[in-house]
Amino acid sequence: ELCELFPEIAWFRDVVFLWKMLLLPIDVAPKQQSWQLADAILRWSWDGQSFCVQGFGTKLSATAATKRGFVQGVMRWFGKYDSENKAMSRASPSIITGKVIASEDDVLFLDQLPSFNGALGPADSELLLTYLTAPYIRVPLLLGFFTDRHRVTLLREPQLQSVLDAALFEPGPW
């Protein structure tokens, strides 16, 4: 077996599987309790059609179960269907403002801009939200925003810390 010759492949497999589980909604994860180290060891088996993974005292899955109809399945092939089981990102301008924001135009037409407990003025808040609407270039834009000598102290605010943390470390479309 390949894993006997190269045990690092099994370790990598387990790390990737556990990482995918961490990205799932909380109701899919194993129950929260005080686990022992031995409980975290994943046991893999083949049932003839797919791999079964046992760990944490239960059968594990790295996907969320969804009730999907035929039309939704076809739309997913063409990129028009988003899963309702994704975790919400703290770097999403829609989550921050509580309104649907799909583009920079939506930011410009907001009645009320978040101030992050008074840390940001309206112009800086608008700029930050605009940066968050550009998924492919938001990391360098945000780093440039916070490295300005007048704005670096804004990172004392926990909400802004969580926005930057989410933009840097949560998986995205890039």
Side-chain angles (χ1 to χ4, degrees):
E1 184 175 315
L2 190 61
C3 290
E4 291 175 6
L5 295 173
F6 304 100
E8 59 272 9
I9 291 176
W11 301 331
F12 183 68
R13 173 199 63 196
D14 291 351
V15 166
V16 169
F17 184 85
L18 291 171
W19 177 253
K20 286 184 174 189
M21 279 190 54
L22 286 173
L23 298 176
L24 293 175
I26 193 70
D27 60 333
V28 180
K31 62 182 179 179
Q32 292 184 0
Q33 69 180 45
S34 180
W35 294 103
Q36 299 295 321
L37 181 60
D39 297 326
I41 296 172
L42 300 181
R43 287 170 291 291
W44 294 75
S45 62
W46 177 256
D47 68 1
Q49 293 183 344
S50 64
F51 284 103
C52 297
V53 184
Q54 295 282 328
F56 299 102
T58 186
K59 182 179 178 184
L60 301 174
S61 174
T63 59
T66 58
K67 294 180 182 175
R68 196 181 315 151
F70 175 76
V71 175
Q72 292 169 328
V74 171
M75 295 301 279
R76 188 179 196 125
W77 290 343
F78 298 106
K80 305 273 187 201
Y81 177 73
D82 288 328
S83 170
E84 66 276 358
N85 291 317
K86 288 190 232 173
M88 304 305 279
S89 172
R90 292 174 293 155
S92 167
S94 298
I95 298 300
I96 294 169
T97 61
K99 306 229 178 194
V100 176
I101 295 181
S103 68
E104 294 177 26
D105 293 337
D106 296 331
V107 174
L108 295 174
F109 290 108
L110 283 174
D111 296 331
Q112 184 76 24
L113 291 168
S115 67
F116 298 94
N117 294 328
L120 285 180
D124 283 342
S125 181
E126 183 178 299
L127 190 60
L128 178 70
L129 292 173
T130 302
Y131 287 168
L132 292 174
T133 63
Y136 294 102
I137 60 169
R138 72 178 178 178
V139 170
L141 291 173
L142 287 172
L143 291 176
F145 179 83
F146 285 112
T147 54
D148 181 77
R149 66 182 175 145
H150 300 293
R151 293 188 186 124
V152 74
T153 57
L154 295 174
L155 289 174
R156 289 182 290 179
E157 174 58 41
Q159 287 179 330
L160 289 172
Q161 289 174 9
S162 70
V163 168
L164 183 62
D165 180 66
L168 291 176
F169 299 112
E170 287 180 358
W174 55 89

